[in-house]
Amino acid sequence: MLSLRPAEDHERAFCEWLNRRNMSGYLAARGITWDPSRFLASWADFENLMILSESTVVGLLRLMPEQGALGLRDLQVVPQHQGHGIGSWAVRQAQAISVERGFPRLQLRVYQENPAAALYPRLGFKAESAVGDTVHMAWQLPPNDSFKPTPLRGAA
């Protein structure tokens, strides 16, 4: 059973470690050095949600309203829990949160070589543009309001 809960301040170091660990290859390929102060600033700006399997933290979902949409700013899954549907479940939860909050659009950016780039189209995202090697994607609430997440914040 998967669930979401707000991250607590004492979990920030773990979340930074997870983000840095999962993103280090992408950043290194671009000559970008990890900047702890940037993560700290984003921690204050973003809504940080812990992804739990039972009572075990298995990931992090970070959201932020942006330009009439909800931004899926970060999704990280603990390495030993990857490949088990947690990322798909978390994206569906972000879609449901977007709808609950009145945002008809959920948007994100992903590096082209990231395996998640193949996940998002399966969940209804469409590529809108590419800036360098980053793909900007968005999911729109269907016009007939047919999006019904099942189960909302429940099991995978």
Side-chain angles (χ1 to χ4, degrees):
M1 173 91 146
L2 295 171
S3 62
L4 293 174
R5 71 160 169 75
E8 298 176 16
D9 280 338
H10 73 271
E11 295 172 307
R12 187 184 74 231
F14 166 79
C15 294
E16 181 178 4
W17 168 83
L18 179 61
N19 191 296
R20 184 176 186 168
R21 187 248 173 248
N22 287 354
M23 297 302 293
S24 63
Y26 303 112
L27 298 176
R30 290 157 178 82
I32 300 171
T33 303
W34 181 262
D35 182 354
S37 64
R38 185 172 175 187
F39 185 87
L40 180 60
S42 74
W43 184 263
D45 291 340
F46 296 173
E47 178 179 4
N48 304 292
L49 301 169
M50 304 304 288
I51 305 169
L52 298 124
S53 176
E54 303 301 327
S55 60
T56 302
V57 172
V58 295
L60 170 67
L61 175 66
R62 305 177 76 205
L63 306 170
M64 182 174 172
E66 47 189 36
Q67 303 165 355
L70 186 61
L72 194 166
R73 298 303 303 266
D74 196 11
L75 172 57
Q76 303 295 334
V77 176
V78 173
Q80 57 267 38
H81 293 282
Q82 293 174 1
H84 301 292
I86 294 168
S88 295
W89 179 87
V91 172
R92 286 189 205 101
Q93 299 312 300
Q95 289 168 323
I97 291 167
S98 178
V99 171
E100 285 176 357
R101 295 181 183 173
F103 293 107
R105 174 183 167 90
L106 179 65
Q107 57 193 29
L108 57 85
R109 296 182 302 262
V110 62
Y111 291 123
Q112 290 175 341
E113 75 273 21
N114 187 324
L119 164 69
Y120 298 124
R122 292 195 308 263
L123 296 173
F125 285 78
K126 305 243 184 292
E128 294 187 331
S129 65
V131 177
D133 52 5
T134 303
V135 181
H136 294 241
M137 304 181 91
W139 171 84
Q140 296 277 126
L141 177 65
N144 61 1
D145 201 25
S146 64
F147 178 75
K148 303 291 185 235
T150 308
L152 178 60
R153 297 193 185 102

